[in-house]
C-alpha cells in the first residue's frame, strides 16, 4: 500500500469505524468481541485496499468482511439454537413505565439477538439497525434476496418467541411488524 492509499484507508476508518463498530457489536452481542471482529475485518480490508475495485464504496466490502469473519469465528456454535413453536406471540403492549424497564427490555432484546443463528442475526442487524433494503443486504452477505427474506422471517419469528418467553418486559418492545426488535 502506497502513502496515498494508506491515507485513504485511514480516512475511511476514521469516518466509518463508529458505525461499523455498532454493527459488529450487534452481530456479537459484546463490545469487546465486536471490537475484535471489526479489527479483523479492517485488517483484511487493509491488506486488499489497493486491489478494491470500487474505492468509492469500501464500506460494503468491510461489512461483508465483518459478516464472514463473524460466521467463520462461530460457525460450529450456531447449530441447534432455534426453538420451534406453533404460534407467534404478536401482542403489542404499552410502553415501558420507567427507565429501569427500558434497560431490562434492551438486555432481553440483546440476549434474544445473541441466540439467533449468525446469518439471521446479520440480516436483522442490517435490516432494522442499519435500515438497508433486501438488495443491499443480499449483496453484503453474498446471498439471494429470497434468502434474505426467509432469514428475516425466521429470525423475527424466533425473536418473537424468545421475547414472549422472557416475559412482559421484553415483549413490550416488540411490535407486530417486528420493527421494535432491535430498539
Amino acid at each position: 500500500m502506497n502513502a496515498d492509499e494508506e491515507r485513504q484507508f485511514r480516512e475511511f476508518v476514521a469516518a466509518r469505524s463508529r458505525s461499523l463498530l455498532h454493527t459488529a457489536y450487534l452481530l456479537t452481542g459484546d463490545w469487546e468481541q465486536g471490537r475484535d471482529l471489526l479489527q479483523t475485518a479492517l485488517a483484511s480490508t487493509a491488506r486488499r485496499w489497493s486491489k478494491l475495485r470500487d474505492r468509492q464504496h469500501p464500506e460494503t466490502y468491510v461489512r461483508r468482511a465483518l459478516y464472514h469473519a463473524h460466521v467463520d469465528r462461530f460457525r460450529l456454535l450456531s447449530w441447534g439454537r432455534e426453538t420451534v413453536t406453533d404460534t407467534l406471540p404478536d401482542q403489542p403492549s404499552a410502553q415501558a413505565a420507567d427507565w429501569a424497564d427500558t434497560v431490562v427490555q434492551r438486555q432481553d432484546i440483546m440476549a434474544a439477538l445473541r441466540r439467533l443463528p449468525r446469518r439471521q442475526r446479520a440480516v436483522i442487524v442490517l435490516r432494522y439497525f442499519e435500515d438497508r433494503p433486501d438488495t443491499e443486504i443480499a449483496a453484503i452477505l453474498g446471498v439471494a434476496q429470497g434468502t434474505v427474506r426467509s432469514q428475516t422471517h425466521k429470525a423475527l419469528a424466533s425473536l418473537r418467541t424468545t421475547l414472549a418467553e422472557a416475559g412482559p418486559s421484553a415483549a413490550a418492545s416488540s411490535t407486530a411488524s417486528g420493527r421494535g426488535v432491535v430498539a
Side-chain angles (χ1 to χ4, degrees), residues 47-173:
R47 284 192 300 270
R48 293 171 182 82
W49 187 259
S50 61
K51 296 177 184 169
L52 285 180
R53 283 183 236 139
D54 188 5
R55 193 79 55 78
Q56 300 302 318
H57 302 358
E59 191 165 347
T60 300
Y61 182 87
V62 175
R63 289 185 187 284
R64 182 177 285 161
L66 270 174
Y67 168 72
H68 286 290
H70 180 62
V71 169
D72 289 346
R73 212 180 254 189
F74 301 103
R75 185 177 299 270
L76 296 177
L77 298 176
S78 68
W79 291 98
R81 291 192 181 170
E82 292 185 29
T83 304
V84 179
T85 182
D86 292 352
T87 61
L88 296 176
D90 267 342
Q91 298 178 5
S93 59
Q95 189 67 352
D98 63 22
W99 181 248
D101 288 340
T102 303
V103 171
V104 171
Q105 289 171 2
R106 286 178 185 249
Q107 289 174 339
D108 290 343
I109 291 168
M110 287 308 301
L113 276 173
R114 282 190 294 274
R115 288 187 200 109
L116 288 176
R118 305 296 177 212
R119 183 178 288 175
Q120 289 180 14
R121 185 183 315 170
V123 168
I124 293 296
V125 168
L126 291 169
R127 166 73 54 75
Y128 296 104
F129 177 73
E130 296 188 3
D131 200 28
R132 296 186 183 273
D134 286 349
T135 53
E136 195 172 334
I137 295 169
I140 289 170
L141 301 181
V143 298
Q145 287 183 41
T147 302
V148 170
R149 288 190 292 274
S150 70
Q151 292 296 303
T152 301
H153 175 76
K154 289 176 185 177
L156 289 176
S158 181
L159 287 172
R160 287 180 187 116
T161 301
T162 302
L163 293 174
E165 290 170 357
S169 65
S173 63

